[in-house]
Amino acid sequence: MAVVHEIHQLSRLNRWTQTISAFIDVTKPKILMMLSFTSLCAAFVAQRGIPSKFVIFAMLLSASLSAGGSAAINMWYDRDIDGLMERTAKRPIPAGVIHPSSVLRFGIVLGVLSVVIAFFFVNPLTALLNAVGYFYYAVVYTMWLKRRTPQNIVIGGGAGAFPILIGWASVMNSLNVTAWLMFLVIFLWTPPHSWALALYKNNEYTKAGIPMMPVVKGPRSTKIQSLMYMALLFLCSIVLYISGNFNTFYLAGAIMFNSALLYCTWRMWKEKDHLFIWAKRTFICSLFYILGVFSAMVIGII
């Protein structure tokens, strides 16, 4: 009997562990880490140093709850198409690990907590930005743009840039030109980053009926537009140096990382449309771009 009881206990523990892991997964923790990183960098740049530890903790907590909550709503709403694509089929809802209604409630609770924490422990502007960022991703992008227009990534790119404004506002309780230019860096980075992924996952998006740019306009048009956004991103990064009072370390970093991503995007454009070697390399390079450029921003204020 003791052995049977122990087996039941282990089984119950395993179910609890699996459930907790599923709730963590619906917040898209890898993306959450990147968003938290950019938000933290914005706070450092706004302060031109190290902000209050309490403010940083409250800001990161509220921003993470906002981003994680909206990601949960995204997974709840997209559960039908997630099951059709190989890269998303193992997510908790299509895999049957967690019930959709639980994810919906979880996402709403996280969003509410985000605003409450920011309002009482940071400032009202940060609370408002958390709420707007949450609504932008969960409703504007997920429920309106994603399935209706190939411009879904372009217009929806603002959702991923909101943590910049949240980080800045948490320290300054206001926004200025530098904050908006940092916002614009993420906004302009999103199309070449996301379209590189969409190019080599085109068959999956087609199967799911999502009108990503390669699905609607084809790979050639997508690559040309990626180059255009990359050129604008390069220019924005330089303008940020001019107007943001950064030192030459940031300028050097911006030139280096923008040149690397521009080169990858150019090679992707040169590549034949049935090949995806440089699309994959561009996607990977774009991830390092965020780490490099935003690190250079922080070092560039010293």
Side-chain angles (χ1 to χ4, degrees):
M1 290 296 291
V3 174
V4 173
H5 177 71
E6 186 173 339
I7 292 173
H8 281 305
Q9 288 290 93
L10 288 172
S11 178
R12 183 180 300 175
L13 178 63
N14 183 59
R15 286 197 300 272
W16 271 102
T17 302
Q18 191 177 38
T19 301
I20 292 171
S21 177
F23 275 112
I24 293 173
D25 286 344
V26 298
T27 65
K28 301 186 179 181
K30 291 180 180 179
I31 295 176
L32 193 57
M33 288 178 64
M34 186 196 77
L35 297 178
S36 297
F37 171 71
T38 58
S39 188
L40 184 62
C41 289
F44 273 67
V45 172
Q47 183 69 40
R48 303 200 66 80
I50 302 175
S52 159
K53 292 180 181 178
F54 179 82
V55 169
I56 286 297
F57 176 77
M59 180 275 291
L60 285 176
L61 178 59
S62 66
S64 297
L65 290 172
S66 175
S70 60
I73 299 298
N74 174 271
M75 284 211 186
W76 165 77
Y77 191 81
D78 281 351
R79 61 192 184 278
D80 57 334
I81 56 177
D82 279 349
L84 300 175
M85 296 189 291
E86 183 181 347
R87 76 181 189 88
T88 56
K90 293 182 180 179
R91 285 177 172 176
I93 297 179
V97 178
I98 193 170
H99 197 274
S101 61
S102 298
V103 176
L104 174 60
R105 289 192 294 269
F106 180 62
I108 293 172
V109 169
L110 292 189
V112 172
L113 283 175
S114 165
V115 175
V116 170
I117 290 171
F119 185 85
F120 286 104
F121 298 103
V122 188
N123 57 57
L125 178 58
T126 302
L128 176 63
L129 291 169
N130 271 308
V132 175
Y134 177 95
F135 182 83
Y136 199 142
Y137 185 71
V139 178
V140 175
Y141 170 71
T142 299
M143 300 181 187
W144 178 40
L145 295 171
K146 185 173 181 179
R147 307 192 192 201
R148 285 175 172 81
T149 170
Q151 296 296 324
N152 49 15
I153 288 300
V154 177
I155 306 171
F162 258 89
I164 298 292
L165 304 182
I166 292 168
W168 190 283
S170 69
V171 172
M172 303 303 292
N173 198 19
S174 63
L175 299 172
N176 66 7
V177 173
T178 302
W180 285 108
L181 284 171
M182 291 176 68
F183 174 96
L184 199 57
V185 166
I186 295 292
F187 184 84
L188 295 171
W189 164 87
T190 301
H193 163 75
S194 298
W195 287 340
L197 173 66
L199 280 165
Y200 68 87
K201 295 291 184 180
N202 187 45
N203 290 337
E204 294 187 33
Y205 284 114
T206 301
K207 182 180 178 182
I210 304 173
M212 297 295 286
M213 191 63 70
V215 176
V216 177
K217 298 295 184 179
R220 184 53 36 193
S221 176
T222 302
K223 293 175 181 181
I224 292 171
Q225 292 187 64
S226 293
L227 270 175
M228 291 170 58
Y229 277 100
M230 192 58 237
L232 290 172
L233 175 59
F234 206 138
L235 177 62
C236 178
S237 300
I238 301 304
V239 173
L240 180 59
Y241 165 73
I242 296 170
S243 65
N245 198 27
F246 293 98
N247 63 29
T248 53
F249 184 92
Y250 164 70
L251 179 61
I255 292 173
M256 180 177 69
F257 287 105
N258 276 280
S259 296
L261 186 53
L262 179 60
Y263 174 76
C264 288
T265 309
W266 176 74
R267 289 297 301 268
M268 181 178 74
W269 171 70
K270 293 281 289 182
E271 190 173 51
K272 293 181 179 179
D273 291 343
H274 67 282
L275 299 176
F276 305 105
I277 295 173
W278 279 98
K280 293 178 181 179
R281 289 175 179 174
T282 299
F283 178 75
I284 294 170
C285 183
S286 68
L287 298 175
F288 283 102
Y289 174 91
I290 292 297
L291 179 62
V293 166
F294 277 84
S295 295
M297 288 180 193
V298 173
I299 299 172
I301 61 173
I302 300 174

